[in-house]
Amino acid sequence: MQKRKRIQITGRVQGVGCRPFIYRAASLLGLSGTVRNDVRGVTIEVQGEAADVERFGACLQHGQGELRPPPLMAIASCQVSDVEAVEGEAGFAIEASDARGQASSQVTPDMATCRECLAELNNPDDFRYRYPFINCTNCGPRYSIVRTIPYDRPNTTMAAFKMCERCAAQYADVRDRRFHAQPVACPTCGPRVWLADAAGCVIEGDGNAAIARTAAMLREGKIVAIKGLGGFHLAVDALQEQAVVRLRQRKRREHKPFAMMAASVEVISRYVRVDAAGEALLKSAEAPVVLLDRKGPAEAGGPAIASSVAEGTATLGFMLCYAPLHHLLFAEEGIEVLVMTSANLSDEPLICDNAEAAARLGDVADAFLNHDRDIYRQVDDSVVQIVDGGPAFLRRSRGYVPTPVLMEDVCPEDVFAAGADLKNTFCFAKGSQLIMSEHIGDLADARVYRHYISSVKHLAGLFEIEPKVVACDLHPGYLSTQYAKAMGKPVVEVQHHWAHVASALAEYGCMERVIGLVADGTGWGTDGAIWGCECLTASLTEFERVGHLAYFPLPGGDSAAKEAIRPAMGLLCMLAGEKSYLEEYEDLIARVEPDAGRVRLIAQQLALGVNTAATSSMGRVFDAAAALAGMGRCNRFEAELPMRFESAADCAVTAAYSTAVETDSDGTSVLDIRKMICELVADVRGAAPAGVISVKFHNGLAEGLAGLAIAAREKCDLCTVALSGGVFCNRYLANRVISMLKTSGFRVLYKHTMPANDGGIALGQAAIAARMLHCGLV
């Protein structure tokens, strides 16, 4: 007896070879029916003998024999229902996409060039030999070129290129790897590459000649802007110190480390230690920048990386070639390691348009390797490191966005979550999906803020989202908060550190109440203080502050995040008292700030309480400790001093400075670090090595943070701890705290798909608002 079933699947199922796979599976089992894309995902109807229909369902999930699901396909949900059999139906067909209804289908991120395409790229007999835009359903651009969904060629920037006969034949052949690969093209019909100067004048119009000339310029120490998948990179030879220095001067990025690109793990291994986890990330289809431990001078092989690439860090950031153009460039003689940094000035938005690149970067780049496949969404490279054996994001963008986080429950209304002002991302809740944006940046920059506004509108339009509720940070001064409130919708204000904990709960799909340890620089507290080292008990509907770092005075407002003397004087004042700290610690204060006039000004602020706030900021404690240990006087980019301090740690030392967890009159646990600071001061005065001071500081803080969690467990009978906050981007501290918590019997939720820093805040805000809506609390 013939049975017919309708199967609706959601997830990453469009533009990844899903329909051809389904066609082949149905044909293999002798089933008739149809498959089509729609705004929700993919809808299948299969008809045949009952046993064969059941086998099809198993094949859909796991494949059968040599027939395997496409590598990029990921099914999030699968709904099956019985429908009436169709008499006389013959064969299985792929139908045209159905664009009716409300969009909820996932959009696939941009992916690195696959092995099959690379083989064709290097095959002289293939008609796409050395073609810089070779791709298939397993690789290439997706999110960066799509204007709307369903993901079909007319809805992408490839609509401008009409396929030639050969490309069209592959596109239409269900047996071909390029069946319905929307960006498919070749030298005859597709985009092209050329090399131009800042005025737009063509230097080399032939693609191969343009790539060869680009390589020659890089070997000469020139700076070339190279258009890739999600935008332009500024490239220089990473082995030439003067070239890197020149790039820093022109880009106005004097100190922040640069990312690099190489063609193979073997090359990367000459300069850093690549373990199995690091190699897997480097070789993944997402191809992020991976931070890896430097090799010492005696271990490193080949010419040295220019010192100006990343000064004062124990890691270097590497990625492998992920676009065909990169592979062609690195195949040129003398191209081994390139700095590949975002093409912008300072921290402005990434540039993706040819004309804008020439206009904005004409004084930066010596030439522009352009192409004419438009980028609809600029997307920065993602940046990850390894914590607790898995990926830990510093920036989640290309390769990962806009893959959603899935919720158990359906959100009854669309939600917009505005995120934080630093490392901004935003998030939408729609149905069961939490859709995070790519990295936006720091909203204080006017260009970034305008990019933020346009990005919110774009992503909302792409997924047909109409927010009925908005979520934002408590901080009234945040631009993101002001933008959210100006939307005129009901507002859910979410305390900063609660949002941090909630982001971990959302990633893990955890609905229970947990202990949250959050350590960062700044978050608006419910008591008017500046929070920054918090122990909460929290769920997605409520939180309670059960512990925190002991308050200390912080003079200077936002400038305290840059000038380490400010938190240093605040901590020393807390130790010795307002009347004697200047005299007692005169030597240390002068070590951090030799300008006596500035010291007097800050001391007056502290004495009068002018522009001085009580804070529990762990980030500022790190700044102060690093400065006292001789790491520098100021943060020339965010967290520079703590990064140097971490890099200096002598991991062979197991000793720790002293901390204590005490209980105040309200029953709140308070982490007291006064003895720690005293011991650090003694070591500094005793000329202890910076590596010893650093590791004792880290070890002591780890013990203190674990102590807060243990005190919360004793009080609240909870055994799961969520970790978040920018301080937990510190690998040494994060690994040590995680290890101590696990040894103490805790289950630890450390984020491996979202950033621990403020780049994950929006996810937590959206998850809280969605849950509160579901529970009728909004």
Side-chain angles (χ1 to χ4, degrees), residues 268-274 292-295 315-318:
I268 293 173
S269 296
R270 296 174 192 167
Y271 305 101
V272 293
R273 299 183 188 93
V274 184
L292 299 161
D293 290 327
R294 291 178 189 252
K295 285 185 173 180
T315 59
L316 293 172
F318 275 102

Side-chain angles (χ1 to χ4, degrees), residues 44-67:
I44 312 157
E45 289 195 8
V46 287
Q47 180 172 309
E49 295 298 323
D52 292 330
V53 172
E54 291 301 319
R55 277 197 289 272
F56 174 83
C59 182
L60 187 62
Q61 297 281 354
H62 309 294
Q64 181 170 325
E66 294 184 1
L67 181 63

Side-chain angles (χ1 to χ4, degrees), residues 159-178:
F161 300 93
K162 184 179 179 181
M163 284 181 279
C164 67
E165 287 186 11
R166 284 201 287 186
C167 286
Q170 290 182 326
Y171 183 88
D173 185 354
V174 72
R175 297 162 300 180
D176 196 280
R177 200 175 80 251
R178 293 187 172 85

Side-chain angles (χ1 to χ4, degrees), residues 486-499:
M487 294 176 76
K489 309 289 184 183
V491 177
V492 177
E493 291 185 293
V494 182
Q495 198 282 325
H496 190 85
H497 301 93
W498 182 25

Side-chain angles (χ1 to χ4, degrees), residues 423-649:
K423 291 181 168 54
N424 176 269
T425 61
F426 58 87
C427 184
F428 289 108
K430 182 181 178 66
S432 61
Q433 300 183 69
L434 295 168
I435 305 167
M436 285 282 284
S437 77
E438 64 272 25
H439 168 79
I440 301 297
D442 296 348
L443 300 187
D445 184 284
R447 289 180 182 272
V448 175
Y449 184 66
R450 289 195 293 271
H451 175 53
Y452 169 72
I453 294 172
S454 66
S455 298
V456 171
K457 293 175 180 176
H458 164 75
L459 204 62
L462 179 62
F463 290 100
E464 298 180 3
I465 293 170
E466 296 181 5
K468 298 296 190 291
V469 173
V470 297
C472 62
D473 197 274
L474 276 181
H475 199 309
Y478 270 10
L479 293 169
S480 54
T481 297
Q482 294 167 14
Y483 175 77
K485 290 183 174 181
M487 294 176 76
K489 309 289 184 183
V491 177
V492 177
E493 291 185 293
V494 182
Q495 198 282 325
H496 190 85
H497 301 93
W498 182 25
H500 265 300
V501 177
S503 66
L505 296 180
E507 176 177 319
Y508 280 85
C510 180
M511 305 300 292
E512 64 193 63
R513 187 162 160 253
V514 303
I515 298 166
L517 284 179
V518 185
D520 61 2
T522 300
W524 191 266
T526 55
D527 60 356
I530 304 301
W531 292 5
C533 178
E534 309 305 315
C535 183
L536 312 177
T537 59
S539 67
L540 291 178
T541 56
E542 61 183 353
F543 82 96
E544 179 185 0
R545 191 191 198 199
V546 296
H548 61 85
L549 177 71
Y551 284 148
F552 64 94
L554 184 66
D558 290 344
S559 61
K562 294 183 178 179
E563 302 170 16
I565 186 60
R566 295 179 180 276
M569 287 179 64
L571 286 166
L572 295 174
C573 178
M574 177 186 70
L575 285 185
E578 183 184 313
K579 294 183 179 179
S580 61
Y581 79 99
L582 289 172
E583 187 174 312
E584 184 169 342
Y585 299 113
E586 181 180 6
D587 58 326
L588 296 173
I589 292 171
R591 175 189 177 104
V592 178
E593 178 52 77
D595 185 337
R598 287 185 59 77
V599 170
R600 284 195 297 274
L601 179 63
I602 295 169
Q604 288 174 356
Q605 287 182 312
L606 279 166
L608 300 174
V610 175
N611 198 24
T612 297
T615 187
S616 57
S617 172
M618 183 63 78
R620 300 295 77 80
V621 172
F622 261 94
D623 291 341
L628 291 169
M631 296 295 106
R633 294 171 50 193
C634 65
N635 286 312
R636 295 169 295 186
F637 59 88
E638 186 185 8
E640 179 189 11
L641 294 180
M643 285 171 61
R644 288 176 173 266
F645 202 32
E646 178 193 2
S647 295

